[in-house]
């Protein structure tokens, strides 16, 4: 009954910016962890950013560090991803995830996943 819905995807030119949002609804029992992953055709799912309830401090994947900013509103059960200096290699479906894992930020730490929103960066 938990549902995560992403929004804000679209097309942007290289060097541009784009902001994504994710809203959780249903039985959201105070997720310890919310985050973002992305997956491009032919590539593995990649960790983008994650934020723990206990710290509300984002952790970023290596490939996006310094260019993306994630923020979480714990009361609203939302998480955003502000992307800057976008590159063609950022093109992917961006997925929102939430869960209760306490051992890192990998995929296994998340129990719920959204359907994703497409981000396309043109060259």
């Amino acid at each position: 009954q938990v549902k995560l819905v992403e929004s804000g995807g679209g097309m942007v030119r290289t060097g541009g910016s784009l902001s994504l949002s994710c809203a959780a609804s249903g039985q959201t029992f105070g997720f310890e962890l919310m985050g973002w992953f992305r997956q491009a055709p032919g590539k593995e799912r990649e960790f983008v950013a994650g934020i723990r309830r206990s710290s509300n401090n984002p952790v970023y994947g290596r490939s996006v560090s310094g260019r993306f900013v994630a923020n979480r509103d714990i009361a609203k059960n939302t998480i955003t991803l502000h992307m800057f200096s976008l590159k063609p290699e950022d093109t992917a479906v961006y997925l929102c995830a939430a869960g209760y894992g306490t051992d890192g930020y990998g995929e296994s730490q998340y129990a719920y996943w959204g359907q994703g929103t497409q981000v396309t960066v043109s060259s």
Side-chain angles (χ1 to χ4, degrees):
Q1 292 179 297
V2 171
K3 187 176 182 180
L4 303 177
V5 179
E6 304 94 338
S7 62
M11 187 174 179
V12 65
R13 294 193 299 272
T14 296
S17 61
L18 196 66
S19 294
L20 308 180
S21 295
C22 171
S25 62
Q27 299 184 75
T28 55
F29 301 112
F31 299 121
E32 167 62 20
L33 183 61
M34 293 189 74
W36 292 94
F37 288 76
R38 67 186 185 184
Q39 189 162 24
K43 299 179 69 176
E44 297 288 328
R45 185 175 294 178
E46 178 185 20
F47 172 71
V48 175
I51 305 175
R52 293 198 173 279
R53 183 185 184 94
S54 56
S55 68
N56 206 12
N57 190 28
V59 172
Y60 299 99
R62 181 179 59 190
S63 64
V64 306
S65 181
R67 297 188 298 116
F68 291 9
V69 178
N71 290 283
R72 179 177 177 181
D73 189 322
I74 294 171
K76 293 182 178 180
N77 289 313
T78 61
I79 186 168
T80 60
L81 184 69
H82 305 283
M83 303 180 290
F84 306 93
S85 300
L86 284 161
K87 307 172 182 179
E89 51 262 47
D90 294 318
T91 296
V93 172
Y94 283 71
L95 300 153
C96 180
Y100 305 99
T102 59
D103 189 19
Y105 294 84
E107 291 183 44
S108 64
Q109 306 301 301
Y110 306 84
Y112 306 101
W113 295 81
Q115 295 300 304
T117 186
Q118 178 71 45
V119 172
T120 302
V121 184
S122 64
S123 59

